[in-house]
Amino acid sequence: MKNDDKLKSKDLPLLLLKSSQGHARRAIAIYQKRGSSENEIALHCGMAVEHLAKYILALINTALLQENKADEDSLLFLCGAPLEHSKKVSEIRTIGAEDACKRVQKIYPGIGYSPTVGATLFGARNSAAHLGVADLEDAYAALYAAMLMIKNFLPKTRIGWEGYWGEESAAASTLLNEEEDNLRARYVAKITAAEQRFAAQYSGISEDARSTVLKIVLEHPRANYDHKEKRACPACNSFAWLGFDLKTDFEADFERDGTPIGVVEVTTATPKSFDCPACGLLLSDIELEFADMDGEVYIEEKDIRDTVQFEGGDLDF
């Protein structure tokens, strides 16, 4: 779109919705062909969910599409100012995919968004976009993640499941159920195999000897993580390691009347994988949701200072 087409921020909700629907339906079509490009599945699924999340935000106010550190021109456009002739549409900066989903969740806490499921989807999308490679298993996991997120997000839109999918509505419902069944079957198979390994390895020794060995085995995780916590293993009940990725964001802090008073640095941890050295169980991505280990954890929240350094100068609150 050219500048002289006079794109306005009020046009964004419909554009984002149509784009989301197009990508979602294209992903379904590619999947139904079987053996088609897993890269395309991952790409279309990621774009469908990102644009749906941004559509929900834009329905409330297009200013919610701004990045945490939005540049002035992008912020003005998203708040309704005309797009300047010197500014291209491609230069407008908006919030990233995962942050858009988290912002939707912050507005609608009961929407059912899982950061771990989001990481599964956007990880596969980014791999396909930046490396040109997405594993078939990752692409199908991303497809299920996208379908689940679309299902959870649609109640907060002005359209329903059938309105979103159109003629692909029945196929989308079938696909969602099929992929969930397939993923859960693989998860159950992993749990069963881990239970059998644990029984075979520890059934022949005394309870005291088992406790001593497990204490040593479980003392440290087998991989390095930004953050780690102990959780009960769904296969052997040992307290093993759930590893997290850390992310730090900066958010404005306000008085009750809306007066800005400073900036808060918030560090959150998103579950990445569960590793049990006792039985060999290793879970990641969607499997963490099945094991009820997909919840994001707030690690730290602290005030930093009353003046924040931005490009072009300081912003005093």
Side-chain angles (χ1 to χ4, degrees):
M1 181 176 290
K2 298 179 180 178
N3 287 356
D4 56 7
D5 288 335
K6 297 181 180 179
L7 173 69
K8 297 179 180 179
S9 61
K10 68 179 183 180
D11 300 325
L12 293 177
L14 182 58
L15 292 174
L16 288 165
L17 174 60
K18 293 298 183 184
S19 177
S20 176
Q21 289 174 302
H23 283 294
R25 294 172 186 180
R26 180 60 181 158
I28 293 280
I30 294 172
Y31 173 83
Q32 289 175 327
K33 292 180 180 178
R34 302 284 184 171
S36 298
S37 172
E38 51 269 22
N39 288 351
E40 289 188 73
I41 292 176
L43 286 168
H44 287 298
C45 285
M47 295 305 298
V49 172
E50 177 178 352
H51 288 179
L52 182 59
K54 290 181 175 179
Y55 166 67
I56 294 172
L57 295 174
L59 281 178
I60 302 170
N61 193 313
T62 52
L64 289 172
L65 297 176
Q66 66 175 296
E67 293 179 308
N68 290 333
K69 291 186 176 181
D71 67 274
E72 187 177 64
D73 287 338
S74 295
L75 178 58
L76 288 172
F77 171 72
L78 293 172
C79 288
L83 186 65
E84 295 184 2
H85 291 294
S86 60
K87 193 78 172 177
K88 297 180 180 178
V89 174
S90 60
E91 294 174 332
I92 298 298
R93 313 306 302 173
T94 61
I95 191 172
E98 290 187 74
D99 287 336
C101 293
K102 290 179 180 179
R103 188 167 290 179
V104 170
Q105 183 190 37
K106 184 174 289 188
I107 296 170
Y108 300 112
I111 202 167
Y113 171 68
S114 163
T116 301
V117 174
T120 298
L121 170 60
F122 297 121
R125 191 276 300 271
N126 293 342
S127 178
H130 302 305
L131 297 177
V133 177
D135 292 335
L136 185 61
E137 184 174 331
D138 289 344
Y140 284 174
L143 180 62
Y144 169 71
M147 302 290 290
L148 181 63
M149 292 168 69
I150 289 170
K151 177 184 177 182
N152 290 340
F153 281 10
L154 281 178
K156 300 304 179 183
T157 70
R158 295 172 180 171
I159 57 174
W161 182 266
E162 293 184 358
Y164 180 84
W165 289 105
E167 295 180 356
E168 302 293 343
S169 176
S173 296
T174 300
L175 189 154
L176 176 61
N177 294 331
E178 286 180 351
E179 282 306 304
E180 180 171 4
D181 289 344
N182 291 338
L183 289 167
R184 285 192 180 277
R186 288 199 289 270
Y187 169 76
V188 171
K190 273 191 170 186
I191 298 296
T192 301
E195 290 172 340
Q196 292 172 348
R197 284 194 300 269
F198 185 83
Q201 188 165 354
Y202 295 102
S203 60
I205 62 176
S206 68
E207 188 67 32
D208 288 342
R210 178 191 299 183
S211 297
T212 300
V213 171
L214 288 178
K215 183 177 181 180
I216 296 172
V217 168
L218 295 167
E219 185 175 2
H220 300 289
R222 294 183 292 183
N224 294 321
Y225 302 109
D226 292 342
H227 175 74
K228 60 184 181 293
E229 296 182 1
K230 283 198 169 183
R231 300 291 172 87
C233 175
C236 69
N237 292 318
S238 301
F239 278 88
W241 297 98
L242 179 61
F244 297 76
D245 284 337
L246 292 182
K247 182 177 180 180
T248 298
D249 286 318
F250 299 92
E251 300 178 359
D253 192 18
F254 300 90
E255 295 281 12
R256 289 183 178 274
D257 63 0
T259 303
I261 58 174
V263 172
V264 176
E265 181 183 272
V266 180
T267 300
T268 55
T270 300
K272 182 177 180 63
S273 64
F274 175 79
D275 179 21
C276 181
C279 65
L281 180 66
L282 182 63
L283 303 175
S284 61
D285 301 327
I286 298 292
E287 295 165 343
L288 295 176
E289 182 193 15
F290 297 155
D292 197 24
M293 296 183 185
D294 60 324
E296 192 173 56
V297 176
Y298 283 88
I299 303 299
E300 185 178 25
E301 181 174 309
K302 63 181 180 179
D303 294 329
I304 48 177
R305 61 188 180 113
D306 294 332
T307 303
V308 184
Q309 183 73 38
F310 285 94
E311 293 183 8
D314 289 342
L315 174 63
D316 293 318
F317 286 102

